[in-house]
Amino acid sequence: MTFPITKANGGDLVPSARTFESGDYPVKTYKAQNGAEHRILYGSNRTNMKLSLTYANILDADAELFLDHYDTVQGTFQTFSLGSINGVNPTRGGWEGNTDALGAQTHGNNYRYEGPPQVAQVATGRSTVTVNLIGVL
């Protein structure tokens, strides 16, 4: 199942804010007895990318989509893709850089939840949702 990218009543579900940490390649560092540092690269794919998405002041029905998705993928257990609409990923809405720069899929990763979605009710029928995702192979 893909991540919620469409509003309950139609239209793209675009985050109002996002943060992205680009992760790193799997490297193990060893120190020799003389103090010299040796590093071994254990893979060719970057991993542990972190993507935090905030959807401010959205309808409660749209906030519920994230809670339902979290249950569908069994919390932090299963991985998923962010999906796209006509080749465009709404989670990157507002980003004017290269389309593959903010994605885990470009590097052979899928996302999983780092923890449960955080929902804060801001008005009657309106909530702000924050989801924290991590890229894993």
Side-chain angles (χ1 to χ4, degrees):
M1 176 179 200
T2 59
F3 189 72
I5 55 175
T6 306
K7 294 180 182 179
N9 62 358
D12 293 351
L13 193 52
V14 179
S16 53
R18 90 179 57 74
T19 59
F20 179 75
E21 294 178 35
S22 59
D24 201 357
Y25 292 87
V27 175
K28 183 72 176 175
T29 303
Y30 299 95
K31 286 213 176 197
Q33 221 171 8
N34 66 358
E37 181 179 273
H38 298 278
R39 289 176 301 221
I40 299 173
L41 181 64
Y42 279 104
S44 59
N45 290 327
R46 193 168 21 130
T47 189
N48 285 335
M49 297 165 207
K50 294 185 179 182
L51 180 64
S52 177
L53 302 168
T54 300
Y55 297 83
N57 200 25
I58 61 175
L59 294 173
D60 286 346
D62 294 330
E64 188 177 349
L65 295 173
F66 295 100
L67 299 173
D68 291 344
H69 183 259
Y70 183 74
D71 285 336
T72 300
V73 297
Q74 298 172 306
T76 61
F77 180 64
Q78 293 183 25
T79 61
F80 52 88
S81 67
L82 294 182
S84 63
I85 299 171
N86 298 326
V88 177
N89 184 325
T91 60
R92 294 188 194 111
W95 170 256
E96 295 181 2
N98 193 338
T99 57
D100 65 350
L102 293 182
Q105 286 87 354
T106 303
H107 301 280
N109 290 239
N110 272 327
Y111 281 109
R112 70 169 173 80
Y113 285 96
E114 193 172 34
Q118 301 162 355
V119 180
Q121 188 170 14
V122 294
T124 302
R126 294 275 179 181
S127 293
T128 294
V129 178
T130 301
V131 292
N132 296 308
L133 308 175
I134 187 164
V136 293
L137 293 173

